[in-house]
Amino acid sequence: MSEYAIGRRQLLAGAGVTAVAAVAAGCTQNMSSGTGEGGWDHETDILCVGSGAAAGTAAVTAAAEGAKVLMLEKMPILGGTTAKSGGVAWIFNHFILREQGIKDEKADALKYAVRYGYPRQYDPSSPTLGLDENRYKVIEAFYDHGAAAIDKLRELGAVQFKQFRLFQIDRPAPDYADHLPENKVPTGRTLEPAVGSGSTEGGGSLAKQMAEYLKKKDVPIMLDTQVTRVVKDGTGRVIGVEAQQQGKTIRIKAEKGVIFGTGGYSHNVQLCETHQPWVYGTCSLPGSTGDFIPIAEAAGAKMGNLGLAWRSQVVLGEALANRGVGMGAFVLPGDSMILVNKYGKRVVNEKRDYNDRTQAHFPYDPSHEEYPNHLMLMLFDERSIDAFGGAFPFPANKGEQPHLIEGADWDEVFRKADAQLAKWAGKTGGVRLAPDFAATAKETINRFNGYAKAGEDPEFNRGKYLYDREWHLLFSARRPGTTQPENPYPNNVMHPFADTGPYYCIILGPGTLDTAGGPQVNENAQVLGFDDKPIPGLYAAGNCIASPTGQAYLGAGGTIGPALTFGYIAATHAAGA
């Protein structure tokens, strides 16, 4: 499932989460040291920066270990992008799989993760599966400690989990690459909060429950407090931070460690233009500005892959109006629906998961010096918008989607789409439809109609694998009151287009849930320096670091699972340091 569940377009209302935040006065203060260089305004054992899944798990774990903990959050509400998400966590070998007697063996699990996340490096005959030793140990740590992190949160009563199930068929959700031969447990690894799960609270519930646990443990939380740099002692160990709070610089000492869980950089346009293939819009909260990257660089950190991200297509018109979109085009709804590029050609399986499908925007054509798939047109007919209206980006009522293009026939749709592109040309590199777009697109539609009738897509295997068929049932749930019949064709994700209009189009561009690039950590979630040695006292987890799973969004919850795991690892290591 996408990290942004159906119906969650609005941001989390702040009151329910922020009510548990402690005021700064609740922190331990060193009144004699003053606030100048070398003095401390507050002292703690472990300082957690951020308040989403990564920092929240770190704070809960550290507090449970008996450490004195302080949490800082630069935004006025808690939870970060986690609070906007579906709150699900993808975890190897978790307690429910074990209870069911399902063996999620380490060797097979790591082969799946590396094959999917690092396909160019993957070598099954290598003891590190083709990765360098550090990256292998990091992904190994995800397997070794993910289930333990879940067990710890359950044991503490901080968060309870249940297995996420597709509500239409009450079966465990398939992984996003369920069909890879290395994947021996292709369904069931996704968990969700047992309280407030589903489309009501999701990640808000996850963040809120963690915050409530911290409140019970008397852990102070400072909102509107932005860390600007880490402080080292004479040995090079990180011993605290400086932060901006109400226009003043404060200094906070952390005896055992500083753990960053501050999110990605999707709202930092400069970083995105430097490191990403392209980002028009993002589902992340405005606080995702990549604060940790310059802080870590100044501390001597080694950067990992900065170009990684958790990707989703976005409605281009929405993203151009506001970079922070309420919803991404995750699992595209509809069965009489295709995506085509500026030349009218299909370029991807439209039912693939959002992270993988979005990467189809990025190939470069050296013969024409362009990115032919930079933007895509989502084409559909009356059947799809009637049967599945309300499944984003289909509107329940046409007037709800200002960027919906409608025409009595395909030629009218294509003229209107090109006119819309002309208005946006200054922001898209001048993308327009090719002169022969209409003829090619009609040929593409006719070819797809034949595939739908036969039930097989020889070009992109749409509907061949379990993922396509079962996630379609969730994201293409039939609209109550629709006049359209059930799909009678052999493949439930494909239906021929109607012979006559009206027809529709929505223009999509590449976006993110958030970026996933940053400093490199080791298996203890310690940030590495230029010499590949840990920077003592400095830890990080979540989207502010180079993704532990590489480019792979392994399944529903593929961001939160690693985030809470490495938050747990960081706190456990720091508390014992």
Side-chain angles (χ1 to χ4, degrees):
M1 163 180 178
S2 100
E3 293 294 300
Y4 303 85
I6 296 172
R8 197 170 298 113
R9 301 186 191 183
Q10 70 284 356
L11 299 185
L12 177 74
V17 177
T18 57
V20 302
V23 297
C27 304
T28 302
Q29 299 191 27
N30 183 346
M31 301 303 293
S32 63
S33 65
T35 59
E37 183 70 18
W40 302 105
D41 297 286
H42 309 285
E43 296 185 12
T44 190
D45 291 332
I46 294 178
L47 178 64
C48 297
V49 187
S51 61
T57 304
V60 167
T61 303
E65 292 291 321
K68 184 186 299 180
V69 180
L70 170 61
M71 175 179 279
L72 305 183
E73 167 58 56
K74 79 171 184 178
M75 300 296 286
I77 61 173
L78 288 178
T81 299
T82 297
K84 188 188 174 188
S85 77
V88 299
W90 192 97
I91 297 291
F92 288 117
N93 201 35
H94 59 65
F95 69 101
I96 295 177
L97 293 177
R98 300 194 304 269
E99 290 170 357
Q100 294 173 340
I102 297 174
K103 295 183 178 180
D104 197 357
E105 301 287 359
K106 180 176 179 177
D108 291 326
L110 292 182
K111 286 180 180 178
Y112 168 54
V114 177
R115 160 68 181 83
Y116 195 7
Y118 299 91
R120 286 173 291 200
Q121 293 97 326
Y122 178 57
D123 177 4
S125 66
S126 163
T128 61
L129 301 178
L131 300 182
D132 63 70
E133 185 176 1
N134 184 72
R135 285 191 177 90
Y136 179 77
K137 286 183 176 180
V138 168
I139 204 164
E140 182 182 41
F142 179 35
Y143 178 92
D144 288 344
H145 300 287
I150 294 293
D151 291 344
K152 174 60 73 173
L153 292 172
R154 293 174 58 238
E155 171 194 329
L156 295 172
V159 184
Q160 297 298 333
F161 293 90
K162 65 180 182 179
Q163 192 174 50
F164 176 81
R165 303 179 77 83
L166 294 169
F167 72 89
Q168 289 271 7
I169 50 180
D170 194 29
R171 285 204 292 267
D175 286 347
Y176 289 177
D178 60 293
H179 57 282
L180 287 179
E182 292 86 358
N183 193 352
K184 307 302 183 184
V185 185
T187 65
R189 290 183 174 124
T190 297
L191 298 170
E192 65 178 336
V195 177
S197 58
S199 63
T200 53
E201 294 184 61
S205 170
L206 181 64
K208 182 177 179 180
Q209 289 181 71
M210 288 183 178
E212 287 175 342
Y213 177 87
L214 296 176
K215 181 182 180 182
K216 292 176 184 177
K217 300 290 287 187
D218 294 322
V219 172
I221 302 171
M222 294 183 182
L223 301 177
D224 291 307
T225 304
Q226 182 173 0
V227 173
T228 54
R229 77 179 185 100
V230 297
V231 179
K232 293 184 177 182
D233 65 12
T235 69
R237 179 181 180 84
V238 171
I239 58 170
V241 304
E242 286 187 355
Q244 288 296 306
Q245 185 184 81
Q246 297 181 345
K248 297 180 180 180
T249 299
I250 63 171
R251 290 166 54 83
I252 303 169
K253 185 177 183 181
E255 291 281 356
K256 295 188 174 183
V258 178
I259 303 172
F260 280 82
T262 49
Y265 60 84
S266 288
H267 283 282
N268 187 319
V269 175
Q270 182 178 7
L271 284 177
C272 284
E273 291 185 349
T274 301
H275 299 292
Q276 294 294 323
W278 204 256
V279 177
Y280 277 107
T282 177
C283 298
S284 63
L285 287 189
S288 295
T289 52
D291 298 7
F292 186 48
I293 291 175
I295 292 171
E297 285 179 328
K302 174 183 180 179
M303 291 296 117
N305 189 336
L306 286 170
L308 297 172
W310 310 124
R311 307 188 189 280
S312 173
Q313 291 175 307
V314 293
V315 174
L316 183 62
E318 290 184 5
L320 292 178
N322 188 338
R323 186 177 183 85
V325 298
M327 193 78 171
F330 299 123
V331 179
L332 296 181
D335 46 19
S336 48
M337 174 278 299
I338 59 173
L339 292 177
V340 297
N341 67 6
K342 61 180 284 188
Y343 292 104
K345 298 179 180 179
R346 289 178 71 212
V347 296
V348 68
N349 172 2
E350 295 87 353
K351 292 295 180 176
R352 285 308 297 151
D353 70 276
Y354 38 96
N355 183 63
D356 292 339
R357 188 181 71 249
T358 302
Q359 296 191 63
H361 283 273
F362 304 137
Y364 178 71
D365 178 1
S367 298
H368 298 91
E369 298 79 31
E370 67 171 1
Y371 295 92
N373 310 336
H374 181 60
L375 302 178
M376 295 190 200
L377 279 66
M378 184 181 182
L379 305 179
F380 48 101
D381 64 3
E382 187 69 20
R383 168 189 165 77
S384 276
I385 198 170
D386 184 3
F388 311 111
F392 191 81
F394 290 169
N397 298 299
K398 295 177 185 178
E400 295 175 353
Q401 177 50 271
H403 306 291
L404 177 69
I405 298 168
E406 179 178 357
D409 54 30
W410 283 123
D411 288 324
E412 183 180 1
V413 169
F414 299 156
R415 285 196 301 272
K416 288 181 176 179
D418 196 46
Q420 197 171 85
L421 287 171
K423 293 179 181 178
W424 296 333
K427 300 178 181 180
T428 65
V431 175
R432 299 288 299 276
L433 301 185
D436 60 350
F437 174 89
T440 304
K442 291 174 184 177
E443 292 175 1
T444 299
I445 290 167
N446 289 334
R447 192 159 49 249
F448 174 81
N449 288 344
Y451 299 162
K453 293 172 183 176
E456 294 185 2
D457 175 11
E459 292 185 75
F460 300 105
N461 292 325
R462 177 163 152 179
K464 180 177 181 179
Y465 301 116
L466 187 66
Y467 170 89
D468 290 15
R469 301 190 299 271
E470 296 207 346
W471 283 105
H472 171 79
L473 296 175
L474 177 63
F475 282 85
S476 293
R478 288 170 58 78
R479 180 181 63 82
T482 180
T483 61
Q484 302 297 326
E486 295 278 358
N487 188 334
Y489 293 94
N491 188 328
N492 74 325
V493 307
M494 295 194 296
H495 188 288
F497 283 81
D499 293 333
T500 59
Y503 298 118
Y504 304 89
C505 171
I506 296 175
I507 299 174
L508 303 180
T512 69
L513 280 68
D514 200 0
T515 61
Q520 184 64 52
V521 300
N522 66 8
E523 71 274 18
N524 298 317
Q526 295 171 287
V527 177
L528 298 181
F530 295 125
D531 57 1
D532 288 323
K533 295 179 181 179
I535 298 174
L538 185 59
Y539 300 82
N543 290 341
C544 69
I545 62 171
S547 165
T549 60
Q551 71 177 34
Y553 206 121
L554 293 167
T559 64
I560 290 180
L564 65 82
T565 298
F566 282 87
Y568 166 80
I569 291 171
T572 302
H573 191 270

mmCIF file of all heavy atoms in Angstrom, residues 480-507:
data_model
loop_
_atom_site.group_PDB
_atom_site.id
_atom_site.type_symbol
_atom_site.label_atom_id
_atom_site.label_comp_id
_atom_site.label_asym_id
_atom_site.label_seq_id
_atom_site.Cartn_x
_atom_site.Cartn_y
_atom_site.Cartn_z
ATOM 1 N N PRO A 480 -19.800 3.318 -5.292
ATOM 2 C CA PRO A 480 -21.220 3.026 -5.044
ATOM 3 C C PRO A 480 -22.111 3.820 -5.996
ATOM 4 O O PRO A 480 -21.909 5.018 -6.206
ATOM 5 C CB PRO A 480 -21.427 3.483 -3.595
ATOM 6 C CG PRO A 480 -20.064 3.418 -2.982
ATOM 7 C CD PRO A 480 -19.123 3.789 -4.076
ATOM 8 N N GLY A 481 -23.054 3.141 -6.606
ATOM 9 C CA GLY A 481 -23.976 3.808 -7.518
ATOM 10 C C GLY A 481 -23.518 3.839 -8.959
ATOM 11 O O GLY A 481 -24.226 4.389 -9.816
ATOM 12 N N THR A 482 -22.347 3.275 -9.265
ATOM 13 C CA THR A 482 -21.887 3.284 -10.648
ATOM 14 C C THR A 482 -22.838 2.491 -11.539
ATOM 15 O O THR A 482 -23.434 1.500 -11.115
ATOM 16 C CB THR A 482 -20.473 2.700 -10.763
ATOM 17 O OG1 THR A 482 -20.073 2.723 -12.149
ATOM 18 C CG2 THR A 482 -20.403 1.269 -10.264
ATOM 19 N N THR A 483 -22.952 2.939 -12.763
ATOM 20 C CA THR A 483 -23.789 2.232 -13.741
ATOM 21 C C THR A 483 -22.976 1.258 -14.579
ATOM 22 O O THR A 483 -23.528 0.572 -15.442
ATOM 23 C CB THR A 483 -24.470 3.244 -14.673
ATOM 24 O OG1 THR A 483 -23.466 3.981 -15.389
ATOM 25 C CG2 THR A 483 -25.344 4.214 -13.879
ATOM 26 N N GLN A 484 -21.675 1.218 -14.330
ATOM 27 C CA GLN A 484 -20.803 0.373 -15.142
ATOM 28 C C GLN A 484 -20.813 -1.078 -14.636
ATOM 29 O O GLN A 484 -20.806 -1.318 -13.432
ATOM 30 C CB GLN A 484 -19.373 0.907 -15.116
ATOM 31 C CG GLN A 484 -19.242 2.330 -15.614
ATOM 32 C CD GLN A 484 -19.646 2.465 -17.068
ATOM 33 O OE1 GLN A 484 -19.439 1.555 -17.876
ATOM 34 N NE2 GLN A 484 -20.224 3.605 -17.424
ATOM 35 N N PRO A 485 -20.813 -2.042 -15.551
ATOM 36 C CA PRO A 485 -20.798 -3.452 -15.135
ATOM 37 C C PRO A 485 -19.423 -3.870 -14.640
ATOM 38 O O PRO A 485 -18.419 -3.178 -14.859
ATOM 39 C CB PRO A 485 -21.164 -4.186 -16.423
ATOM 40 C CG PRO A 485 -20.661 -3.286 -17.521
ATOM 41 C CD PRO A 485 -20.876 -1.885 -17.018
ATOM 42 N N GLU A 486 -19.365 -4.986 -13.950
ATOM 43 C CA GLU A 486 -18.088 -5.578 -13.576
ATOM 44 C C GLU A 486 -17.279 -5.877 -14.835
ATOM 45 O O GLU A 486 -17.830 -6.100 -15.917
ATOM 46 C CB GLU A 486 -18.311 -6.881 -12.795
ATOM 47 C CG GLU A 486 -18.984 -6.697 -11.447
ATOM 48 C CD GLU A 486 -17.992 -6.295 -10.370
ATOM 49 O OE1 GLU A 486 -16.782 -6.206 -10.663
ATOM 50 O OE2 GLU A 486 -18.451 -6.061 -9.225
ATOM 51 N N ASN A 487 -15.967 -5.888 -14.689
ATOM 52 C CA ASN A 487 -15.093 -6.191 -15.819
ATOM 53 C C ASN A 487 -15.265 -7.667 -16.215
ATOM 54 O O ASN A 487 -14.942 -8.556 -15.427
ATOM 55 C CB ASN A 487 -13.639 -5.915 -15.419
ATOM 56 C CG ASN A 487 -12.679 -6.009 -16.585
ATOM 57 O OD1 ASN A 487 -12.930 -6.704 -17.566
ATOM 58 N ND2 ASN A 487 -11.559 -5.314 -16.474
ATOM 59 N N PRO A 488 -15.763 -7.946 -17.426
ATOM 60 C CA PRO A 488 -15.992 -9.338 -17.824
ATOM 61 C C PRO A 488 -14.791 -9.998 -18.500
ATOM 62 O O PRO A 488 -14.853 -11.184 -18.862
ATOM 63 C CB PRO A 488 -17.151 -9.207 -18.818
ATOM 64 C CG PRO A 488 -16.879 -7.897 -19.495
ATOM 65 C CD PRO A 488 -16.268 -6.995 -18.434
ATOM 66 N N TYR A 489 -13.699 -9.234 -18.664
ATOM 67 C CA TYR A 489 -12.568 -9.734 -19.438
ATOM 68 C C TYR A 489 -11.604 -10.551 -18.565
ATOM 69 O O TYR A 489 -11.678 -10.505 -17.327
ATOM 70 C CB TYR A 489 -11.877 -8.578 -20.142
ATOM 71 C CG TYR A 489 -12.757 -7.977 -21.213
ATOM 72 C CD1 TYR A 489 -13.560 -6.869 -20.930
ATOM 73 C CD2 TYR A 489 -12.833 -8.549 -22.476
ATOM 74 C CE1 TYR A 489 -14.403 -6.340 -21.898
ATOM 75 C CE2 TYR A 489 -13.673 -8.025 -23.452
ATOM 76 C CZ TYR A 489 -14.461 -6.923 -23.158
ATOM 77 O OH TYR A 489 -15.303 -6.418 -24.116
ATOM 78 N N PRO A 490 -10.709 -11.321 -19.182
ATOM 79 C CA PRO A 490 -9.892 -12.280 -18.421
ATOM 80 C C PRO A 490 -8.956 -11.665 -17.394
ATOM 81 O O PRO A 490 -8.607 -12.307 -16.408
ATOM 82 C CB PRO A 490 -9.091 -13.007 -19.521
ATOM 83 C CG PRO A 490 -9.832 -12.765 -20.785
ATOM 84 C CD PRO A 490 -10.491 -11.436 -20.631
ATOM 85 N N ASN A 491 -8.554 -10.426 -17.616
ATOM 86 C CA ASN A 491 -7.579 -9.765 -16.746
ATOM 87 C C ASN A 491 -8.266 -8.578 -16.083
ATOM 88 O O ASN A 491 -8.673 -7.626 -16.764
ATOM 89 C CB ASN A 491 -6.381 -9.306 -17.589
ATOM 90 C CG ASN A 491 -5.228 -8.787 -16.771
ATOM 91 O OD1 ASN A 491 -5.416 -8.213 -15.702
ATOM 92 N ND2 ASN A 491 -4.020 -8.952 -17.287
ATOM 93 N N ASN A 492 -8.417 -8.609 -14.762
ATOM 94 C CA ASN A 492 -9.245 -7.604 -14.094
ATOM 95 C C ASN A 492 -8.671 -6.192 -14.133
ATOM 96 O O ASN A 492 -9.370 -5.229 -13.814
ATOM 97 C CB ASN A 492 -9.514 -7.999 -12.637
ATOM 98 C CG ASN A 492 -8.301 -7.823 -11.733
ATOM 99 O OD1 ASN A 492 -7.167 -8.031 -12.147
ATOM 100 N ND2 ASN A 492 -8.532 -7.474 -10.488
ATOM 101 N N VAL A 493 -7.413 -6.020 -14.543
ATOM 102 C CA VAL A 493 -6.836 -4.675 -14.579
ATOM 103 C C VAL A 493 -6.905 -4.045 -15.970
ATOM 104 O O VAL A 493 -6.468 -2.914 -16.150
ATOM 105 C CB VAL A 493 -5.380 -4.670 -14.074
ATOM 106 C CG1 VAL A 493 -5.277 -5.333 -12.714
ATOM 107 C CG2 VAL A 493 -4.445 -5.339 -15.059
ATOM 108 N N MET A 494 -7.464 -4.769 -16.947
ATOM 109 C CA MET A 494 -7.559 -4.234 -18.308
ATOM 110 C C MET A 494 -8.972 -4.407 -18.849
ATOM 111 O O MET A 494 -9.569 -5.477 -18.727
ATOM 112 C CB MET A 494 -6.567 -4.931 -19.239
ATOM 113 C CG MET A 494 -5.104 -4.680 -18.906
ATOM 114 S SD MET A 494 -3.981 -5.180 -20.244
ATOM 115 C CE MET A 494 -4.258 -6.949 -20.283
ATOM 116 N N HIS A 495 -9.492 -3.350 -19.460
ATOM 117 C CA HIS A 495 -10.802 -3.354 -20.105
ATOM 118 C C HIS A 495 -10.681 -2.494 -21.357
ATOM 119 O O HIS A 495 -10.056 -1.417 -21.313
ATOM 120 C CB HIS A 495 -11.849 -2.762 -19.148
ATOM 121 C CG HIS A 495 -13.266 -2.893 -19.617
ATOM 122 N ND1 HIS A 495 -13.779 -2.154 -20.667
ATOM 123 C CD2 HIS A 495 -14.289 -3.673 -19.173
ATOM 124 C CE1 HIS A 495 -15.053 -2.475 -20.855
ATOM 125 N NE2 HIS A 495 -15.389 -3.382 -19.957
ATOM 126 N N PRO A 496 -11.240 -2.894 -22.469
ATOM 127 C CA PRO A 496 -11.146 -2.058 -23.679
ATOM 128 C C PRO A 496 -11.787 -0.695 -23.468
ATOM 129 O O PRO A 496 -12.762 -0.540 -22.727
ATOM 130 C CB PRO A 496 -11.928 -2.864 -24.732
ATOM 131 C CG PRO A 496 -11.981 -4.261 -24.210
ATOM 132 C CD PRO A 496 -11.990 -4.150 -22.717
ATOM 133 N N PHE A 497 -11.240 0.314 -24.139
ATOM 134 C CA PHE A 497 -11.839 1.636 -24.131
ATOM 135 C C PHE A 497 -13.175 1.602 -24.887
ATOM 136 O O PHE A 497 -13.360 0.817 -25.819
ATOM 137 C CB PHE A 497 -10.916 2.653 -24.806
ATOM 138 C CG PHE A 497 -9.758 3.095 -23.954
ATOM 139 C CD1 PHE A 497 -8.611 2.322 -23.836
ATOM 140 C CD2 PHE A 497 -9.808 4.310 -23.282
ATOM 141 C CE1 PHE A 497 -7.547 2.737 -23.064
ATOM 142 C CE2 PHE A 497 -8.750 4.740 -22.506
ATOM 143 C CZ PHE A 497 -7.615 3.949 -22.379
ATOM 144 N N ALA A 498 -14.070 2.474 -24.494
ATOM 145 C CA ALA A 498 -15.350 2.592 -25.187
ATOM 146 C C ALA A 498 -15.123 3.057 -26.632
ATOM 147 O O ALA A 498 -14.158 3.775 -26.942
ATOM 148 C CB ALA A 498 -16.245 3.581 -24.454
ATOM 149 N N ASP A 499 -16.028 2.646 -27.532
ATOM 150 C CA ASP A 499 -15.904 3.022 -28.942
ATOM 151 C C ASP A 499 -16.186 4.498 -29.174
ATOM 152 O O ASP A 499 -15.726 5.077 -30.155
ATOM 153 C CB ASP A 499 -16.871 2.183 -29.785
ATOM 154 C CG ASP A 499 -16.493 0.710 -29.809
ATOM 155 O OD1 ASP A 499 -15.291 0.408 -29.642
ATOM 156 O OD2 ASP A 499 -17.400 -0.132 -29.982
ATOM 157 N N THR A 500 -16.966 5.094 -28.276
ATOM 158 C CA THR A 500 -17.292 6.511 -28.415
ATOM 159 C C THR A 500 -17.021 7.251 -27.109
ATOM 160 O O THR A 500 -16.966 6.645 -26.035
ATOM 161 C CB THR A 500 -18.778 6.695 -28.793
ATOM 162 O OG1 THR A 500 -19.599 6.104 -27.774
ATOM 163 C CG2 THR A 500 -19.073 6.031 -30.133
ATOM 164 N N GLY A 501 -16.868 8.581 -27.219
ATOM 165 C CA GLY A 501 -16.591 9.397 -26.044
ATOM 166 C C GLY A 501 -17.802 9.572 -25.168
ATOM 167 O O GLY A 501 -18.854 8.975 -25.421
ATOM 168 N N PRO A 502 -17.665 10.347 -24.121
ATOM 169 C CA PRO A 502 -16.524 11.239 -23.853
ATOM 170 C C PRO A 502 -15.283 10.485 -23.371
ATOM 171 O O PRO A 502 -15.382 9.394 -22.815
ATOM 172 C CB PRO A 502 -17.065 12.160 -22.768
ATOM 173 C CG PRO A 502 -18.094 11.330 -22.043
ATOM 174 C CD PRO A 502 -18.728 10.502 -23.109
ATOM 175 N N TYR A 503 -14.140 11.128 -23.589
ATOM 176 C CA TYR A 503 -12.857 10.604 -23.139
ATOM 177 C C TYR A 503 -12.186 11.662 -22.262
ATOM 178 O O TYR A 503 -12.561 12.842 -22.267
ATOM 179 C CB TYR A 503 -11.956 10.275 -24.328
ATOM 180 C CG TYR A 503 -12.508 9.201 -25.237
ATOM 181 C CD1 TYR A 503 -12.806 9.499 -26.563
ATOM 182 C CD2 TYR A 503 -12.724 7.908 -24.773
ATOM 183 C CE1 TYR A 503 -13.299 8.516 -27.428
ATOM 184 C CE2 TYR A 503 -13.214 6.917 -25.621
ATOM 185 C CZ TYR A 503 -13.501 7.232 -26.942
ATOM 186 O OH TYR A 503 -13.995 6.258 -27.783
ATOM 187 N N TYR A 504 -11.145 11.220 -21.537
ATOM 188 C CA TYR A 504 -10.542 12.092 -20.519
ATOM 189 C C TYR A 504 -9.015 11.937 -20.501
ATOM 190 O O TYR A 504 -8.456 10.945 -20.966
ATOM 191 C CB TYR A 504 -11.092 11.753 -19.133
ATOM 192 C CG TYR A 504 -12.592 11.832 -19.047
ATOM 193 C CD1 TYR A 504 -13.379 10.717 -19.331
ATOM 194 C CD2 TYR A 504 -13.219 13.022 -18.699
ATOM 195 C CE1 TYR A 504 -14.768 10.794 -19.274
ATOM 196 C CE2 TYR A 504 -14.605 13.103 -18.629
ATOM 197 C CZ TYR A 504 -15.373 11.986 -18.920
ATOM 198 O OH TYR A 504 -16.725 12.064 -18.859
ATOM 199 N N CYS A 505 -8.403 12.942 -19.885
ATOM 200 C CA CYS A 505 -6.946 12.935 -19.723
ATOM 201 C C CYS A 505 -6.567 13.730 -18.487
ATOM 202 O O CYS A 505 -7.195 14.746 -18.167
ATOM 203 C CB CYS A 505 -6.284 13.547 -20.960
ATOM 204 S SG CYS A 505 -4.510 13.841 -20.809
ATOM 205 N N ILE A 506 -5.544 13.248 -17.780
ATOM 206 C CA ILE A 506 -4.889 14.007 -16.709
ATOM 207 C C ILE A 506 -3.390 13.901 -16.956
ATOM 208 O O ILE A 506 -2.871 12.798 -17.171
ATOM 209 C CB ILE A 506 -5.242 13.460 -15.316
ATOM 210 C CG1 ILE A 506 -6.744 13.618 -15.031
ATOM 211 C CG2 ILE A 506 -4.423 14.170 -14.236
ATOM 212 C CD1 ILE A 506 -7.189 12.995 -13.713
ATOM 213 N N ILE A 507 -2.698 15.016 -16.934
ATOM 214 C CA ILE A 507 -1.252 15.023 -17.187
ATOM 215 C C ILE A 507 -0.508 14.805 -15.870
ATOM 216 O O ILE A 507 -0.762 15.490 -14.872
ATOM 217 C CB ILE A 507 -0.829 16.344 -17.847
ATOM 218 C CG1 ILE A 507 -1.541 16.494 -19.196
ATOM 219 C CG2 ILE A 507 0.692 16.386 -18.044
ATOM 220 C CD1 ILE A 507 -1.312 17.835 -19.870
#
